Amino acid sequence: TGIASSSLVGYGGSPRRHSTANQREAGQASLEVQGEKQMSETRAAWAELLEVLAEAGERFAGKEWMVVDDRDVAEAHRTIAHILQSGLVSHAEFDPERPVWRRIVTPTRKFSGDNADAIYFEAPIRGDRTYRITGNLTQAVYTAFTVEAGANDGSYPDRTDGMLNDTQFDVATDGSYEIILGGEPQDRNWLGLSADAGRLTSRHYFEWASSAAGADVHLPLTIANLDPPDGPPPPWDDDLVAAAIRRVTNHVRSKTIDGPQRAGRAAPPDWVGQIPNEFPVPQEPGDIALSAADAHYSLGRWLLGPDEALVITGRWPKCRFASVCAWNRFQQTLDYVNRPVSRNRVTTTLEADGSFRMVVAHADPGIPNWIDTEGRASGTLFFRFFLAEGDIDPLGTEVVPFAEIGT
């Protein structure tokens, strides 16, 4: 029957229209219950998703979030599309009984402050299960796992609740490792789970001469439930598909219209700068959701005239990983595949005294350590330092005329 149907679709319109009309009438009849039309849960969930996307397009990409010019409107919609993509990839078919690792961000899926030198994965979990994780460092200079609590329905997590980095688990000479997640406490290679554990995030940071996030890197990461349910999962039905779509909706909503607006938001952490062209002293983030508790962060924003540049001076501390990357206002990295929009210790040329001097500008100044703004008058720069030893020197800044950079 498949071949016959294909032939009709390809060469004759009338039979197909007749069939579709009959199917529509049959479908409407099947939804008649005591004289009232009943919408399936899947159709209702799909309508809810479309409503949230439309609302996000109006509000998150509108004046409520101080989005006014055409470029911001375009990038706000691109952000919504990337978050939708994330929801479909990672949260729709979300099964903590049979977890699967999914890559969180890529060069074509960016949100929540991605990094040109990092590859991130996430997997669904639940607090009353025990899992085995296996992997390999694969040249990463820093690897860690964090438990995200309150995040089992696609929504933004409440907090980070536990982490384990590669100084806290055993790594074989070939780079391989095994970790137990949840269950009875163990002396080593174990990470506990809170009752509301919802997702597991893995971080893999590289300091290469080119972007690891844009490279074809294979990380042999596995996760297995050690007490899986008997038999296969139930077949997809109306309720299960509706629940999957609603997880996507929750994901989009929590990262857009239910997120904090520019105006009236709670006071940011101390490591988030409030004055343009200045950087706070790097600090640990604590248990802020999706953060790494063993890192130091410093976030600042550039604000430049058309013929200005921002010069940043400092020293890389002794640490496992360090970098700075440029974001747009929606916490998306700029184009790290094709432009120099980030720096790590490998891609930074140092001064004779071991310090660095970076230039944030709209064009190549002809000296080392240029960070390309893509012609933006404003944007965000985010410094990360993992497993830093000792104090981290403050970052110095100066706005200078672009023409005087090389003098």
Side-chain angles (χ1 to χ4, degrees):
T1 57
I3 295 175
S5 298
S6 299
S7 300
L8 290 172
V9 170
Y11 295 101
S14 298
R16 183 183 179 184
R17 288 196 297 269
H18 179 71
S19 174
T20 302
N22 289 344
Q23 290 171 2
R24 186 183 300 114
E25 292 173 2
Q28 291 172 344
S30 68
L31 294 176
E32 289 287 337
V33 178
Q34 297 180 350
E36 295 182 0
K37 293 181 180 178
Q38 303 295 311
M39 179 180 288
S40 74
E41 282 299 308
T42 298
R43 290 189 182 278
W46 187 258
E48 293 162 13
L49 173 59
L50 297 181
E51 289 175 3
V52 166
L53 289 172
E55 186 178 357
E58 291 295 323
R59 294 178 55 201
F60 181 77
K63 292 182 179 179
E64 187 175 347
W65 266 259
M66 298 177 67
V67 175
V68 292
D69 64 36
D70 288 347
R71 185 173 196 168
D72 279 352
V73 169
E75 290 199 324
H77 281 87
R78 179 173 181 250
T79 301
I80 295 167
H82 283 199
I83 292 169
L84 173 62
Q85 183 187 158
S86 167
L88 294 169
V89 168
S90 294
H91 300 280
E93 305 201 2
F94 183 97
D95 186 358
E97 298 287 14
R98 304 165 185 84
V100 175
W101 289 107
R102 304 291 188 192
R103 188 164 171 182
I104 301 176
V105 286
T106 71
T108 57
R109 184 171 64 246
K110 300 181 177 186
F111 58 93
S112 297
D114 57 307
N115 189 307
D117 296 310
I119 298 174
Y120 306 91
F121 292 91
E122 63 184 345
I125 56 174
R126 48 186 288 177
D128 58 353
R129 293 293 185 266
T130 304
Y131 303 90
R132 176 184 290 112
I133 300 164
T134 66
N136 192 289
L137 298 184
T138 319
Q139 302 180 41
V141 297
Y142 171 88
T143 298
F145 298 86
T146 54
V147 176
E148 312 301 340
N152 56 3
D153 62 352
S155 60
Y156 198 85
D158 297 330
R159 66 193 186 284
T160 294
D161 190 25
M163 74 164 296
L164 199 68
N165 64 47
D166 58 56
T167 69
Q168 300 166 317
F169 57 80
D170 298 324
V171 179
T173 56
D174 65 354
S176 62
Y177 55 84
E178 180 178 303
I179 299 167
I180 298 299
L181 184 69
E184 293 297 320
Q186 301 184 24
D187 294 335
R188 187 79 176 164
N189 308 318
W190 177 80
L191 180 58
L193 292 178
S194 57
D196 60 346
R199 294 203 300 274
L200 185 69
T201 300
S202 75
R203 290 174 167 82
H204 312 265
Y205 282 80
F206 302 80
E207 282 190 279
W208 291 350
S210 59
S211 166
D216 184 15
V217 181
H218 173 62
L219 289 162
L221 200 60
T222 72
I223 182 170
N225 184 356
L226 296 184
D227 186 25
D230 294 333
W236 287 94
D237 60 15
D238 186 39
D239 289 338
L240 291 176
V241 173
I245 295 170
R246 287 183 171 123
R247 285 191 292 270
V248 176
T249 303
N250 290 340
H251 185 66
V252 173
R253 175 181 285 278
S254 69
K255 287 185 175 293
T256 57
I257 54 181
D258 280 354
Q261 295 96 330
R262 287 277 179 190
R265 67 171 57 181
D270 291 340
W271 48 265
V272 175
Q274 300 300 299
I275 301 174
N277 303 321
E278 294 186 9
F279 291 88
V281 174
Q283 297 180 35
E284 296 177 337
D287 66 351
I288 293 176
L290 303 180
S291 66
D294 56 2
H296 285 72
Y297 296 151
S298 179
L299 183 151
R301 295 178 176 86
W302 77 81
L303 180 61
L304 300 171
D307 297 315
E308 292 181 329
L310 175 66
V311 175
I312 305 172
T313 55
R315 291 180 182 273
W316 294 123
K318 184 178 181 181
C319 59
R320 185 68 73 83
F321 171 85
S323 79
V324 59
C325 58
W327 298 340
N328 65 14
R329 60 170 293 185
F330 301 103
Q331 296 185 331
Q332 294 179 302
T333 50
L334 305 190
D335 182 8
Y336 55 74
V337 173
N338 300 295
R339 295 172 178 266
V341 298
S342 69
R343 294 283 164 186
N344 58 40
R345 291 177 295 182
V346 172
T347 58
T348 302
T349 300
L350 300 181
E351 303 289 304
D353 64 356
S355 65
F356 60 72
R357 181 174 183 260
M358 299 179 183
V359 179
V360 182
H362 61 284
D364 187 349
I367 61 175
N369 306 329
W370 173 39
I371 296 178
D372 186 354
T373 66
E374 296 183 346
R376 300 165 186 270
S378 63
T380 299
L381 289 166
F382 190 44
F383 280 86
R384 292 173 168 97
F385 312 95
F386 282 86
L387 298 177
E389 299 180 22
D391 294 333
I392 302 175
D393 289 350
L395 297 161
T397 57
E398 182 183 7
V399 177
V400 301
F402 180 78
E404 298 178 9
I405 287 293
T407 60

